[in-house]
Every structure is written in structure tokens, then in C-alpha cells.
Amino acid sequence: MLASYGLDALAGDQELDRIARFAAHLCGAPSAAISLVDDERQRFLWSEGLDISETPRSTSFCAHTMLGTALLEVLDASNDPRFADFTLVRGDAHIRYYVGAPLVSSEGAPLGALCVTDTEPRHQGLDANQVEGLTVLAEAVKRRLEEHRRTSAATTELKQSKDRLQSMFDSVPDIAWSAAPDGTFDMFNARWTELTGLAPPKTVEDWRPAVHPDDFEPSVAKFGEAVSQATMFEYEWRMKLPDNSYRWMLTRAVPSSGDPENARWFGTITDIHDRYVISQERELLAGELAHRIKNIFSVITGLISLRARGDDKLKAFSNELGDTLRSLSRAQEFALPINKKPGDELLELLDILMAPYGAGANGAVSISGDVVKFGRRASTPLALVFHELATNSAKYGALSVAEGKLAIMVQRDGETARIEWSESNGPTIEQPQDEGFGSRLIHMAIEHQLGGSMVRNWQPGGLRVTIELPVERLSE
């Protein structure tokens, strides 16, 4: 029980000092003490006029006092058989008069006493005011002890909680850190020092020795931007290791709130070096693959042209097949670039495919709409579909006449991408009676490869086509 009070921290407590001094003054005695008694000894938490710090419990006045409910007053201890043989009575302390008020915990456990002693015996006890006053002072001592116990328990729990958090931090394989709203970094797990060999940084500038010179300023600028807006921070940079080598790292950090002035920051640093190297190798291979595929398309197109040269019957077929192959080549080049620029993926592909037909600000073809992204698998069937539509329009539809126009609108409605192909100012054409190879190719690409649907309407002035594709299939 006594251990929960943190007695060492209470030694020299000024409030207890004042209470004990006043108790001595109240009772007109030269000495007073606050004692706590355990199973074997009595310890004086504070004492005045006594040169000893503890006694055995077996010779303790207060051990008797704390077992009662009222004050224990002894006028002459040398004549009291309970205490006459105590060291404090027979020895140099020469205690004759003793009065003590019991100290009991909030759970009802006896702790010790607030006591007043004198080396002279008394003929009469305390008056009523002194009894009441000493009782009130004992209650003040108990409140102070309980307050200290609660504070000590809260401090211990806080320290344990912090230790648990630090232990959890240290067990994380990544570097974990936190920062205060003023930009001071106040916590790092052990992984920081293990990887860098450096002490944890306190300020942004303290990070400099651990960051590649080319990466430090850009990363600080981006972090500063995130802090100013209280938005998520993410950046890839190179960390310097103790052997002066570098490894690629990914830092992510989130604010505790959307308030830039008061948000704390919590972040991780993940080693992505192996993944980064593999990614670079894959990009190199993808670039080489794209180059080889482009060469293959060029070779095939060239072979077809050579075979058809001088043969008027094969020339038209050769030209049409060559256009299809070139369209596929452009789509493949778009899907496997080395330094691909971010953009509205489907719109960008349409711009590339429609460029030969006058796509642009003042051309016959206008392309607009929402952002719809697609994966590499979808690039080839998409290229086949729009190349076939454009080829037919150039032969028979709006793109076959000078005043003809084509508008392509891309819309995203939830998980569905809708593409409207609208020709205008073109010649009047009727729906064909038989479905040709090109139409079957379009249906196969849209329905089987992309999981979508297509509706065609032949109207005066040009063809209208509505294509609906699931976004999930497009992203594959």
C-alpha cells in the first residue's frame, strides 16, 4: 500500500512541512512528525526536533495510533507500560509526551500518524480546540498523500504508456516519427539511428546530413507546402547510410487535423530501394519492348507495301491494312512509353489516333470530356475500335467531305465510361444490310475484350455511336 504513495518523492514536501510545523505550534510542543508505518518499520516522512528517520515498528507510538479512530494521547510515556521500554523513551530522544492523529487511506487501510512530541511530561491533555485542530491537520495530510498518490499513479501510467508507445514504435520495421505543430520533431523510433547512425533530428535542417544533396531542398519545399495546407505529404528521396551509400526511401506523413496552425504530424519512412531498382529495370525493359514492337510494326507495314507494289488489286487492301497497323503501333507506343506524361488517358489516346484525320483546335475532329484512365490491356482493342470508326468515316461518312465534322465526347458516370461519336455535315448514308468484317471486329473488341456495349444510329449528316464501357475493365 505504502509503495503506491511514492514516499521518496514526498521527502521535503513543503506543504507537509507547513502542516507539521503548525501542528507542533498548535499543541505547544517542540517537535512534530508525519510517520508512515509498514510491516517492519516506522518511517518519518517529515520530522522536526527528532534526529532519527525511522524506528522498528515494534517500538512505534504511531503503529498504535493508526489502528484507532481517534487521537492517541500519552501524557507521560515513562509511566505508561505500553511505551516505557521504547528506545524513543529510554534513549536520547527522551520522549515523554506524545499525541498522534491516525492517517488512514481512502480504502480504509492504516498508514501512520501525524504526531506531536515533547521531552517533558504533561499533567493535562489537549483542549477541545487543539483536538479539533490536530484532527483537521491530519485530514489535510491525508488529502496531500492521496493527491500525491493519484499524481504519482498518473505519472507512472503516462510513463508506461509512453514506454509502450516507444516499444511499439521501435518494433515497426519502418522509421516512424512525429512532429509538433511548431515543426519540432519530437519522436523517432530506433530504426532511424539503426539506418543512419545519426541522432534523431529535432528540426528540418537537422535532416540534411541524412539526405542526398540533390533531394534535400525539393523534399523540404514539398513538406513545407504540405504543412502550410495541412495535407498529406509523400516524397521519394535517397537516405545516406553510415557507409556513405544511399538507398531510396518513401516518406509519408499525415496531419492530425486540417488546421495548419495546430496540426501534429505523424510519418513513416519506408525503404523502397529494391523496389525502386526493379521499377527502373522494368521501365528500361518496357522502353526496349516498346522500341522493338514499333520496329516490328514498321517491318510488317514495309513488307505489306513491298508485296503490293505494282499490283493495283492489292494496293487498296495494302493501304487499308497498313493504316490499321500504324494505328495499332501508335496505340502500343502510347501504352508502353518510357517517359509517359500524365494526362486524361483516354482523351490523350483519342488525340493520337485522330491526329491523321484533323484532330485539333481548328480541325474537323473535336475531342473533349472527362478523365477516364485505362490499362495496357485495353489500349489495343480501343485503338482497333476507333481506327475502324475513323476509317469508315473517312471512306463513307463525315470525314469523307471537306465540310464534315466529328465530335467525340467522353463522359464518366460512376463506374461506366460513355463515349459519344457524333458525325455531322456528312453525306447521307444508310444502315448496311450485312455486317462487314470491320463491324464484327468492333463488336468483338467492345463486347468480348472490354465487356461493354455499342449502339449505332445512322442519321442524316452522319453516324452517331454510343459506346458504354465498365471502368473496371478499362483499368486492367
Side-chain angles (χ1 to χ4, degrees), residues 49-335:
L50 293 174
D51 295 332
I52 55 178
S53 60
E54 62 180 57
T55 68
R57 175 170 178 155
S58 59
T59 60
S60 166
F61 285 89
C62 294
H64 289 264
T65 303
M66 71 181 188
L67 299 179
T69 58
L71 268 62
L72 172 64
E73 189 173 21
V74 181
L75 299 180
D76 187 352
S78 64
N79 292 327
D80 190 319
R82 294 173 297 174
F83 311 112
D85 292 332
F86 281 11
T87 302
L88 293 176
V89 177
R90 296 169 58 89
D92 294 338
H94 199 71
I95 290 178
R96 292 296 180 264
Y97 175 74
Y98 170 91
V99 61
L103 300 177
V104 181
S105 73
S106 57
E107 296 87 1
L111 301 174
L114 167 63
C115 64
V116 175
T117 60
D118 198 342
T119 57
E120 298 292 334
R122 296 193 179 186
H123 301 293
Q124 61 181 17
L126 301 178
D127 61 29
N129 288 334
Q130 290 173 314
V131 170
E132 182 179 2
L134 193 60
T135 302
V136 170
L137 291 175
E139 290 295 329
V141 172
K142 286 191 287 186
R143 285 195 298 271
R144 176 59 182 149
L145 293 177
E146 290 295 334
E147 177 188 355
H148 183 77
R149 182 168 70 159
R150 287 193 296 270
T151 302
S152 178
T155 301
T156 300
E157 176 59 30
L158 182 62
K159 183 180 183 304
Q160 291 174 345
S161 177
K162 185 176 181 179
D163 290 343
R164 287 194 297 268
L165 179 60
Q166 188 65 53
S167 177
M168 181 188 71
F169 259 37
D170 290 342
S171 67
V172 173
D174 295 340
I175 295 173
W177 57 267
S178 68
D182 64 0
T184 301
F185 295 88
D186 52 15
M187 183 177 288
F188 276 81
N189 66 348
R191 287 290 289 158
W192 170 271
T193 302
E194 290 173 5
L195 283 177
T196 66
L198 302 172
K202 296 294 185 182
T203 67
V204 170
E205 183 61 27
D206 292 341
W207 286 69
R208 187 182 292 273
V211 183
H212 192 285
D214 294 342
D215 300 334
F216 181 74
E217 297 298 341
S219 63
V220 169
K222 189 162 185 178
F223 182 61
E225 181 181 347
V227 170
S228 66
Q229 301 175 11
T231 56
M232 181 177 176
F233 168 69
E234 184 172 313
Y235 196 76
E236 293 181 3
W237 53 283
R238 285 161 287 182
M239 174 179 282
K240 186 177 182 180
L241 304 186
D243 63 359
N244 292 323
S245 64
Y246 289 92
R247 290 186 70 83
W248 280 98
M249 299 287 172
L250 171 64
T251 295
R252 290 192 179 100
V254 294
S256 60
S257 70
D259 180 5
E261 297 294 327
N262 299 301
R264 286 188 58 83
W265 286 84
F266 302 93
T268 58
I269 303 174
T270 305
D271 187 329
I272 60 168
H273 188 81
D274 295 338
R275 188 180 73 189
Y276 187 89
V277 171
I278 292 173
S279 176
Q280 293 294 304
E281 292 174 350
R282 285 178 176 174
E283 280 197 28
L284 182 63
L285 290 174
E288 181 65 21
L289 177 62
H291 179 70
R292 290 176 180 269
I293 291 175
K294 185 177 180 179
N295 287 343
I296 290 172
F297 276 118
S298 298
V299 169
I300 294 174
T301 303
L303 289 174
I304 292 173
S305 297
L306 285 173
R307 291 292 185 183
R309 185 176 298 173
D311 190 330
D312 293 338
K313 293 181 180 180
L314 293 177
K315 189 174 183 179
F317 174 75
S318 170
N319 291 339
E320 183 174 344
L321 184 57
D323 288 342
T324 300
L325 288 173
R326 280 186 285 273
S327 178
L328 290 175
S329 177
R330 288 194 296 270
Q332 196 67 32
E333 188 177 355
F334 176 82

